[in-house]
Amino acid sequence: MNTFGYAAYGPDSPLAPYTFERRELRPDDVALEILYCGVCHSDLHTARNDWGWSYYPIVPGHEIVGRVIEVGSEVTRYRAGDHVAVGCMVDSCQECDQCQKGEEQLCREGNVQTYGGHDRITGEPTQGGYSKHIVVREAFCLRMPEGLDLSKAAPLLCAGITTYSPLRTWGVGPGSRVGVIGLGGLGHMAVKLAVGLGADVTVLSRSSNKEADALALGADRLLLSSDPEAMGKAASGFDLIIDTVPVKHGLDPYLPLLDVDGTLVIVGQVGPMDEASTVPLLLGRRRVAGSPIGGIRETQELLDFCAKKNILPDCEMIRMDQINEAFERMEKADVRYRFVIDMASLSPEEA
Ligand code: NAP
Ligand code: ZN
Protein backbone atom coordinates (compact mmCIF):
# COMPACT_ATOMS: atom_id res chain seq x y z
CA MET A 1 0.00 0.00 0.00
CA ASN A 2 1.35 3.38 -0.99
CA THR A 3 1.11 6.02 1.74
CA PHE A 4 2.58 9.36 2.70
CA GLY A 5 3.60 11.31 5.74
CA TYR A 6 6.41 13.39 7.22
CA ALA A 7 9.88 12.02 7.90
CA ALA A 8 13.14 13.18 9.38
CA TYR A 9 15.84 12.89 6.71
CA GLY A 10 18.77 13.44 9.06
CA PRO A 11 19.53 14.59 12.60
CA ASP A 12 19.91 18.24 11.63
CA SER A 13 17.23 18.69 9.00
CA PRO A 14 13.57 19.56 9.55
CA LEU A 15 10.85 16.97 9.01
CA ALA A 16 9.56 17.02 5.43
CA PRO A 17 7.01 15.16 3.28
CA TYR A 18 7.78 11.51 2.50
CA THR A 19 6.05 8.91 0.33
CA PHE A 20 6.55 5.23 1.20
CA GLU A 21 5.03 1.75 1.15
CA ARG A 22 3.15 -0.07 3.91
CA ARG A 23 3.33 -3.87 3.72
CA GLU A 24 0.63 -6.00 2.09
CA LEU A 25 -1.74 -7.30 4.77
CA ARG A 26 -0.69 -10.57 6.40
CA PRO A 27 -3.52 -12.82 7.64
CA ASP A 28 -3.38 -11.29 11.16
CA ASP A 29 -2.88 -7.67 10.07
CA VAL A 30 -5.14 -4.66 10.37
CA ALA A 31 -4.78 -1.59 8.12
CA LEU A 32 -5.70 1.79 9.58
CA GLU A 33 -6.33 5.22 8.25
CA ILE A 34 -4.67 7.41 10.86
CA LEU A 35 -6.90 10.22 12.15
CA TYR A 36 -4.75 11.69 14.93
CA CYS A 37 -1.19 11.29 16.14
CA GLY A 38 0.30 12.71 19.32
CA VAL A 39 3.76 14.32 19.39
CA CYS A 40 5.99 12.69 22.02
CA HIS A 41 9.39 13.97 23.13
CA SER A 42 10.71 10.55 21.99
CA ASP A 43 9.75 11.57 18.43
CA LEU A 44 12.06 14.55 18.76
CA HIS A 45 14.87 12.49 20.36
CA THR A 46 14.58 10.02 17.46
CA ALA A 47 14.43 12.64 14.69
CA ARG A 48 17.61 14.18 16.12
CA ASN A 49 19.26 10.78 16.77
CA ASP A 50 19.80 11.64 20.45
CA TRP A 51 19.89 7.93 21.31
CA GLY A 52 22.16 6.89 18.44
CA TRP A 53 19.87 4.25 16.90
CA SER A 54 17.88 6.31 14.37
CA TYR A 55 17.87 5.52 10.64
CA TYR A 56 16.78 7.89 7.90
CA PRO A 57 14.33 8.64 6.55
CA ILE A 58 12.35 7.94 9.72
CA VAL A 59 8.66 8.68 10.26
CA PRO A 60 8.07 9.34 13.99
CA GLY A 61 4.76 9.01 15.84
CA HIS A 62 3.59 6.37 18.31
CA GLU A 63 0.40 7.83 19.71
CA ILE A 64 -1.93 6.75 16.95
CA VAL A 65 -5.72 6.84 16.73
CA GLY A 66 -7.38 5.68 13.53
CA ARG A 67 -10.11 3.85 11.72
CA VAL A 68 -9.79 0.31 10.39
CA ILE A 69 -9.98 0.25 6.60
CA GLU A 70 -9.09 -3.39 5.89
CA VAL A 71 -8.40 -6.60 7.84
CA GLY A 72 -6.44 -9.77 7.05
CA SER A 73 -8.19 -13.14 6.55
CA GLU A 74 -7.58 -14.35 10.14
CA VAL A 75 -8.48 -11.16 11.99
CA THR A 76 -11.38 -11.75 14.37
CA ARG A 77 -11.54 -8.76 16.71
CA TYR A 78 -11.77 -5.85 14.27
CA ARG A 79 -13.54 -4.93 11.09
CA ALA A 80 -13.57 -1.99 8.72
CA GLY A 81 -14.93 1.15 10.36
CA ASP A 82 -13.84 0.32 13.93
CA HIS A 83 -11.99 3.04 15.84
CA VAL A 84 -8.71 1.68 17.11
CA ALA A 85 -5.35 2.81 18.44
CA VAL A 86 -1.69 1.86 18.14
CA GLY A 87 0.98 2.79 20.65
CA CYS A 88 4.74 2.39 20.87
CA MET A 89 4.96 -1.30 19.90
CA VAL A 90 3.82 -3.16 16.80
CA ASP A 91 5.13 -6.67 17.51
CA SER A 92 6.90 -9.04 19.93
CA CYS A 93 7.62 -12.77 20.07
CA GLN A 94 4.24 -13.50 21.76
CA GLU A 95 5.70 -16.68 23.30
CA CYS A 96 8.10 -15.76 26.11
CA ASP A 97 7.01 -15.49 29.72
CA GLN A 98 6.64 -11.71 29.52
CA CYS A 99 4.54 -11.77 26.35
CA GLN A 100 2.40 -14.53 27.86
CA LYS A 101 1.77 -12.27 30.85
CA GLY A 102 0.74 -9.42 28.55
CA GLU A 103 3.97 -7.52 29.22
CA GLU A 104 5.07 -7.37 25.58
CA GLN A 105 7.09 -4.25 26.31
CA LEU A 106 9.44 -6.54 28.26
CA CYS A 107 9.54 -9.29 25.57
CA ARG A 108 12.68 -11.42 26.00
CA GLU A 109 13.42 -11.00 22.30
CA GLY A 110 12.73 -7.27 22.45
CA ASN A 111 9.52 -5.68 21.25
CA VAL A 112 9.34 -4.09 17.80
CA GLN A 113 8.93 -0.36 18.19
CA THR A 114 6.35 1.42 16.04
CA TYR A 115 9.20 3.45 14.54
CA GLY A 116 12.89 2.90 15.10
CA GLY A 117 12.40 -0.90 15.02
CA HIS A 118 12.66 -3.67 12.46
CA ASP A 119 9.88 -5.96 11.27
CA ARG A 120 10.33 -9.45 12.75
CA ILE A 121 9.73 -11.15 9.40
CA THR A 122 11.30 -8.94 6.74
CA GLY A 123 13.74 -6.91 8.84
CA GLU A 124 12.44 -3.74 7.19
CA PRO A 125 12.67 -0.59 9.32
CA THR A 126 9.35 0.37 10.90
CA GLN A 127 7.73 3.77 10.27
CA GLY A 128 5.41 5.56 12.65
CA GLY A 129 2.23 7.54 12.81
CA TYR A 130 3.08 10.89 11.21
CA SER A 131 1.47 9.32 8.16
CA LYS A 132 -1.86 8.59 6.54
CA HIS A 133 -1.92 4.79 7.03
CA ILE A 134 -0.34 2.05 9.08
CA VAL A 135 -0.49 -1.75 8.94
CA VAL A 136 -0.19 -3.53 12.27
CA ARG A 137 -0.70 -6.97 13.79
CA GLU A 138 -4.12 -7.38 15.34
CA ALA A 139 -2.56 -8.23 18.71
CA PHE A 140 -1.01 -4.74 18.86
CA CYS A 141 -4.20 -2.90 18.02
CA LEU A 142 -6.24 -1.40 20.87
CA ARG A 143 -9.96 -0.81 20.87
CA MET A 144 -11.11 2.76 21.41
CA PRO A 145 -13.86 2.65 24.03
CA GLU A 146 -17.19 4.32 23.24
CA GLY A 147 -17.33 7.86 24.49
CA LEU A 148 -13.59 8.62 24.51
CA ASP A 149 -12.99 11.75 22.39
CA LEU A 150 -10.91 10.48 19.46
CA SER A 151 -9.36 13.88 18.82
CA LYS A 152 -7.87 13.97 22.32
CA ALA A 153 -7.15 10.33 23.12
CA ALA A 154 -3.96 9.80 21.10
CA PRO A 155 -1.51 10.84 23.87
CA LEU A 156 -2.87 8.06 26.09
CA LEU A 157 -1.04 5.60 23.83
CA CYS A 158 2.39 6.68 25.08
CA ALA A 159 2.29 9.53 27.61
CA GLY A 160 -0.70 7.85 29.24
CA ILE A 161 0.49 4.27 29.46
CA THR A 162 4.08 5.22 30.35
CA THR A 163 2.83 6.93 33.47
CA TYR A 164 -0.13 4.64 34.22
CA SER A 165 2.06 1.53 34.24
CA PRO A 166 4.36 2.63 37.10
CA LEU A 167 1.36 3.96 39.04
CA ARG A 168 -0.14 0.46 38.83
CA THR A 169 3.15 -1.40 39.34
CA TRP A 170 3.76 0.47 42.60
CA GLY A 171 0.14 0.08 43.73
CA VAL A 172 -0.89 3.74 43.81
CA GLY A 173 -4.35 4.35 45.23
CA PRO A 174 -6.15 6.46 47.84
CA GLY A 175 -3.64 7.69 50.41
CA SER A 176 -0.57 7.30 48.16
CA ARG A 177 1.69 10.33 48.01
CA VAL A 178 2.88 10.77 44.43
CA GLY A 179 5.38 13.29 43.04
CA VAL A 180 5.73 14.05 39.33
CA ILE A 181 8.96 15.66 38.08
CA GLY A 182 8.46 17.77 34.93
CA LEU A 183 5.08 19.03 33.83
CA GLY A 184 5.10 18.15 30.13
CA GLY A 185 3.31 15.51 28.09
CA LEU A 186 4.09 12.56 30.35
CA GLY A 187 4.00 14.68 33.51
CA HIS A 188 0.52 16.07 32.97
CA MET A 189 -0.83 12.57 32.29
CA ALA A 190 0.89 11.28 35.42
CA VAL A 191 -0.93 13.96 37.39
CA LYS A 192 -4.35 13.24 35.90
CA LEU A 193 -3.99 9.47 36.28
CA ALA A 194 -2.62 9.58 39.83
CA VAL A 195 -5.48 11.91 40.79
CA GLY A 196 -7.88 9.51 39.08
CA LEU A 197 -6.50 6.68 41.22
CA GLY A 198 -7.13 8.72 44.35
CA ALA A 199 -3.57 9.75 45.23
CA ASP A 200 -2.30 12.97 46.81
CA VAL A 201 -0.28 14.51 43.96
CA THR A 202 2.57 17.04 43.91
CA VAL A 203 4.09 18.47 40.75
CA LEU A 204 7.83 19.11 40.97
CA SER A 205 8.62 21.70 38.33
CA ARG A 206 11.33 24.22 37.49
CA SER A 207 8.58 26.57 36.38
CA SER A 208 6.58 28.38 39.07
CA ASN A 209 4.38 29.71 36.26
CA LYS A 210 2.94 26.21 35.85
CA GLU A 211 1.39 26.28 39.33
CA ALA A 212 -2.12 27.28 38.21
CA ASP A 213 -2.02 24.60 35.52
CA ALA A 214 -0.84 21.96 37.99
CA LEU A 215 -3.76 22.72 40.28
CA ALA A 216 -6.20 22.80 37.35
CA LEU A 217 -4.95 19.36 36.30
CA GLY A 218 -5.94 18.12 39.73
CA ALA A 219 -2.61 18.22 41.59
CA ASP A 220 -2.74 19.19 45.24
CA ARG A 221 0.29 21.47 45.00
CA LEU A 222 3.34 22.50 42.98
CA LEU A 223 6.78 22.24 44.54
CA LEU A 224 9.39 24.43 42.88
CA SER A 225 12.36 22.13 42.37
CA SER A 226 14.72 25.11 42.23
CA ASP A 227 13.72 26.23 45.76
CA PRO A 228 16.01 24.35 48.21
CA GLU A 229 14.07 25.49 51.28
CA ALA A 230 10.74 24.18 49.97
CA MET A 231 12.45 20.96 48.81
CA GLY A 232 13.96 20.52 52.29
CA LYS A 233 10.56 20.88 53.93
CA ALA A 234 9.14 18.18 51.64
CA ALA A 235 11.71 15.56 52.74
CA SER A 236 10.43 11.99 53.31
CA GLY A 237 7.00 12.96 51.99
CA PHE A 238 6.54 10.69 48.97
CA ASP A 239 5.83 7.03 48.31
CA LEU A 240 6.43 7.25 44.57
CA ILE A 241 8.07 9.88 42.39
CA ILE A 242 7.78 9.65 38.61
CA ASP A 243 10.69 11.40 36.87
CA THR A 244 9.81 12.53 33.33
CA VAL A 245 12.75 14.89 32.71
CA PRO A 246 13.92 14.29 29.11
CA VAL A 247 17.59 15.24 29.52
CA LYS A 248 20.58 14.24 31.64
CA HIS A 249 20.08 15.46 35.21
CA GLY A 250 20.92 14.67 38.81
CA LEU A 251 18.79 12.79 41.33
CA ASP A 252 20.38 14.21 44.48
CA PRO A 253 17.71 16.90 45.01
CA TYR A 254 14.90 14.33 44.66
CA LEU A 255 15.99 11.19 46.55
CA PRO A 256 15.58 12.70 50.05
CA LEU A 257 11.95 13.46 49.16
CA LEU A 258 11.13 9.74 49.25
CA ASP A 259 9.81 8.18 52.44
CA VAL A 260 11.27 4.90 53.73
CA ASP A 261 10.86 2.24 51.02
CA GLY A 262 9.78 4.92 48.57
CA THR A 263 10.67 4.62 44.88
CA LEU A 264 11.77 7.13 42.28
CA VAL A 265 10.94 5.70 38.88
CA ILE A 266 12.70 7.11 35.85
CA VAL A 267 10.58 7.19 32.70
CA GLY A 268 12.17 10.19 30.98
CA GLN A 269 15.91 10.27 30.42
CA VAL A 270 17.44 7.44 28.39
CA GLY A 271 21.20 7.19 28.99
CA PRO A 272 23.71 8.27 31.61
CA MET A 273 22.56 10.43 34.51
CA ASP A 274 24.63 12.80 36.65
CA GLU A 275 26.49 11.16 39.51
CA ALA A 276 24.19 10.57 42.50
CA SER A 277 24.94 10.00 46.18
CA THR A 278 23.88 6.63 47.58
CA VAL A 279 23.50 8.10 51.07
CA PRO A 280 19.74 8.79 50.87
CA LEU A 281 19.22 5.36 49.28
CA LEU A 282 21.02 3.49 52.04
CA LEU A 283 19.75 5.50 54.98
CA GLY A 284 16.11 5.49 53.92
CA ARG A 285 15.95 2.13 52.12
CA ARG A 286 14.86 4.16 49.12
CA ARG A 287 14.89 2.84 45.57
CA VAL A 288 15.53 4.07 42.05
CA ALA A 289 13.78 2.20 39.25
CA GLY A 290 12.96 2.55 35.56
CA SER A 291 9.88 1.70 33.55
CA PRO A 292 9.19 1.37 29.80
CA ILE A 293 5.70 2.12 28.39
CA GLY A 294 3.29 -0.73 29.34
CA GLY A 295 1.81 -3.92 27.88
CA ILE A 296 -1.15 -4.22 25.53
CA ARG A 297 -3.50 -5.54 28.24
CA GLU A 298 -2.59 -2.68 30.54
CA THR A 299 -2.92 -0.14 27.72
CA GLN A 300 -6.46 -1.37 27.02
CA GLU A 301 -7.15 -1.16 30.76
CA LEU A 302 -5.92 2.46 30.69
CA LEU A 303 -8.15 3.39 27.73
CA ASP A 304 -11.16 1.88 29.48
CA PHE A 305 -10.22 3.58 32.78
CA CYS A 306 -9.95 6.97 31.03
CA ALA A 307 -13.29 6.48 29.26
CA LYS A 308 -14.95 5.58 32.55
CA LYS A 309 -13.39 8.44 34.52
CA ASN A 310 -13.48 10.91 31.63
CA ILE A 311 -9.73 11.51 31.82
CA LEU A 312 -8.28 13.08 28.67
CA PRO A 313 -4.98 14.75 27.85
CA ASP A 314 -4.85 18.53 27.39
CA CYS A 315 -4.15 18.78 23.66
CA GLU A 316 -3.13 21.50 21.26
CA MET A 317 -4.20 20.43 17.80
CA ILE A 318 -1.72 21.19 15.02
CA ARG A 319 -1.50 20.65 11.27
CA MET A 320 1.11 18.24 9.95
CA ASP A 321 3.08 21.11 8.41
CA GLN A 322 3.44 22.72 11.86
CA ILE A 323 5.48 19.81 13.22
CA ASN A 324 8.88 21.53 13.08
CA GLU A 325 7.54 24.51 15.01
CA ALA A 326 5.98 22.08 17.52
CA PHE A 327 9.37 20.37 18.03
CA GLU A 328 10.99 23.74 18.70
CA ARG A 329 8.36 24.61 21.26
CA MET A 330 8.67 21.19 22.89
CA GLU A 331 12.41 21.75 23.35
CA LYS A 332 11.60 24.93 25.27
CA ALA A 333 9.03 23.09 27.46
CA ASP A 334 6.39 25.30 25.85
CA VAL A 335 3.66 22.68 25.40
CA ARG A 336 0.40 22.69 27.31
CA TYR A 337 0.46 19.77 27.37
CA ARG A 338 0.57 17.63 24.24
CA PHE A 339 0.57 18.47 20.56
CA VAL A 340 -1.73 16.27 18.51
CA ILE A 341 -1.54 16.25 14.71
CA ASP A 342 -4.85 16.28 12.87
CA MET A 343 -4.05 13.90 10.02
CA ALA A 344 -6.83 15.40 7.90
CA SER A 345 -4.34 18.25 7.43
CA LEU A 346 -1.95 15.94 5.56
CA SER A 347 -2.68 16.00 1.86
CA PRO A 348 -1.19 13.66 -0.78
CA GLU A 349 -0.20 16.65 -2.95
CA GLU A 350 2.28 17.64 -0.28
CA ALA A 351 4.09 14.33 -0.26
P1 NAP B 1 7.93 17.01 27.32
O1 NAP B 1 6.50 17.16 26.96
O2 NAP B 1 8.93 17.82 26.59
O3 NAP B 1 8.03 17.26 28.91
C1 NAP B 1 9.22 17.18 29.63
C2 NAP B 1 9.16 18.11 30.86
O4 NAP B 1 10.36 17.93 31.60
C3 NAP B 1 9.10 19.60 30.50
O5 NAP B 1 7.81 20.08 30.31
C4 NAP B 1 9.77 20.23 31.71
O6 NAP B 1 8.84 20.42 32.77
C5 NAP B 1 10.78 19.18 32.14
N1 NAP B 1 12.11 19.51 31.59
C6 NAP B 1 12.42 19.78 30.31
N2 NAP B 1 13.73 20.08 30.18
C7 NAP B 1 14.25 19.98 31.43
C8 NAP B 1 15.54 20.19 31.96
N3 NAP B 1 16.57 20.56 31.18
N4 NAP B 1 15.71 20.01 33.28
C9 NAP B 1 14.67 19.67 34.07
N5 NAP B 1 13.41 19.48 33.60
C10 NAP B 1 13.21 19.63 32.32
O7 NAP B 1 8.41 15.50 27.14
P2 NAP B 1 7.54 14.14 27.25
O8 NAP B 1 6.92 13.83 25.94
O9 NAP B 1 6.75 14.19 28.47
O10 NAP B 1 8.71 13.06 27.41
C11 NAP B 1 9.56 13.09 28.53
C12 NAP B 1 10.66 12.06 28.38
O11 NAP B 1 10.10 10.76 28.49
C13 NAP B 1 11.39 12.07 27.04
O12 NAP B 1 12.78 11.90 27.25
C14 NAP B 1 10.84 10.88 26.31
O13 NAP B 1 11.74 10.35 25.36
C15 NAP B 1 10.63 9.93 27.48
N6 NAP B 1 9.67 8.84 27.24
C16 NAP B 1 9.93 7.64 27.83
C17 NAP B 1 9.03 6.61 27.71
C18 NAP B 1 9.25 5.30 28.38
O14 NAP B 1 8.77 4.29 27.90
N7 NAP B 1 9.89 5.26 29.53
C19 NAP B 1 7.87 6.79 26.96
C20 NAP B 1 7.64 8.05 26.41
C21 NAP B 1 8.53 9.06 26.56
P3 NAP B 1 8.92 21.67 33.79
O15 NAP B 1 8.89 22.91 32.93
O16 NAP B 1 7.69 21.47 34.60
O17 NAP B 1 10.15 21.53 34.62
ZN1 ZN C 1 6.29 8.45 23.39
Side-chain angles (χ1 to χ4, degrees), residues 40-42 45 51 158 162 182-186 205-207 210 244-247 267-268 291-293 330 333 338:
C40 178
H41 208 113
S42 302
H45 284 309
W51 297 325
C158 175
T162 302
L183 195 60
L186 266 58
S205 174
R206 304 162 301 166
S207 326
K210 288 186 180 173
T244 77
V245 175
V247 292
V267 296
S291 183
I293 48 172
M330 182 178 259
R338 197 62 143 186

Side-chain angles (χ1 to χ4, degrees), residues 38-337:
V39 179
C40 178
H41 208 113
S42 302
D43 301 349
L44 174 58
H45 284 309
T46 301
R48 305 264 163 89
N49 199 21
D50 287 346
W51 297 325
W53 60 65
S54 301
Y55 42 75
Y56 298 98
I58 191 159
V59 179
H62 58 202
E63 295 183 338
I64 298 169
V65 168
R67 181 171 43 227
V68 175
I69 51 170
E70 202 183 335
V71 297
S73 56
E74 290 169 12
V75 169
T76 55
R77 289 192 295 131
Y78 301 108
R79 54 184 183 177
D82 287 353
H83 287 129
V84 294
V86 178
C88 304
M89 299 179 284
V90 288
D91 209 354
S92 72
C93 83
Q94 301 278 285
E95 282 168 10
C96 72
D97 58 334
Q98 296 303 323
C99 286
Q100 292 288 314
K101 276 197 289 187
E103 302 253 53
E104 303 88 347
Q105 78 282 19
L106 302 173
C107 173
R108 301 284 177 189
E109 294 186 12
N111 70 73
V112 179
Q113 297 274 294
T114 304
Y115 62 81
H118 291 88
D119 185 78
R120 286 177 60 86
I121 296 171
T122 63
E124 293 271 309
T126 56
Q127 300 289 10
Y130 294 3
S131 59
K132 201 72 181 172
H133 307 96
I134 191 166
V135 174
V136 61
R137 250 181 117 171
E138 175 181 26
F140 288 81
C141 216
L142 287 305
R143 183 169 293 285
M144 291 305 292
E146 285 290 319
L148 202 59
D149 183 343
L150 295 180
S151 70
K152 292 189 174 160
L156 298 176
L157 277 302
C158 175
I161 186 59
T162 302
T163 50
Y164 184 71
S165 185
L167 290 169
R168 299 286 286 147
T169 300
W170 277 276
V172 165
S176 305
R177 299 159 300 167
V178 174
V180 177
I181 311 177
L183 195 60
L186 266 58
H188 99 291
M189 280 317 305
V191 171
K192 290 191 181 213
L193 293 167
V195 169
L197 290 165
D200 178 272
V201 181
T202 303
V203 170
L204 291 111
S205 174
R206 304 162 301 166
S207 326
S208 57
N209 63 11
K210 288 186 180 173
E211 184 168 20
D213 286 4
L215 300 180
L217 291 165
D220 295 277
R221 62 197 72 77
L222 180 136
L223 177 54
L224 197 58
S225 49
S226 55
D227 177 348
E229 200 186 321
M231 292 286 276
K233 281 191 192 146
S236 302
F238 294 90
D239 304 302
L240 182 71
I241 296 178
I242 300 185
D243 179 352
T244 77
V245 175
V247 292
K248 188 176 189 219
H249 59 289
L251 297 181
D252 283 348
Y254 303 111
L255 295 177
L257 301 181
L258 294 168
D259 204 349
V260 173
D261 287 331
T263 300
L264 181 144
V265 57
I266 296 166
V267 296
Q269 153 70 349
V270 176
M273 304 284 279
D274 287 346
E275 210 168 77
S277 168
T278 62
V279 172
L281 297 179
L282 271 64
L283 297 189
R285 204 164 62 193
R286 300 172 171 106
R287 301 173 190 137
V288 176
S291 183
I293 48 172
I296 295 296
R297 181 188 44 72
E298 198 170 54
T299 308
Q300 189 65 60
E301 178 188 304
L302 164 72
L303 293 176
D304 297 340
F305 175 75
C306 289
K308 193 168 138 216
K309 294 249 177 186
N310 199 23
I311 295 175
L312 281 168
D314 286 14
C315 301
E316 180 176 338
M317 193 71 78
I318 60 166
R319 297 189 314 270
M320 187 69 257
D321 64 9
Q322 292 176 301
I323 187 62
N324 293 304
E325 194 188 314
F327 274 3
E328 275 172 31
R329 283 183 53 196
M330 182 178 259
E331 265 192 318
K332 290 187 269 179
D334 174 26
V335 193
R336 301 204 172 194
Y337 278 90

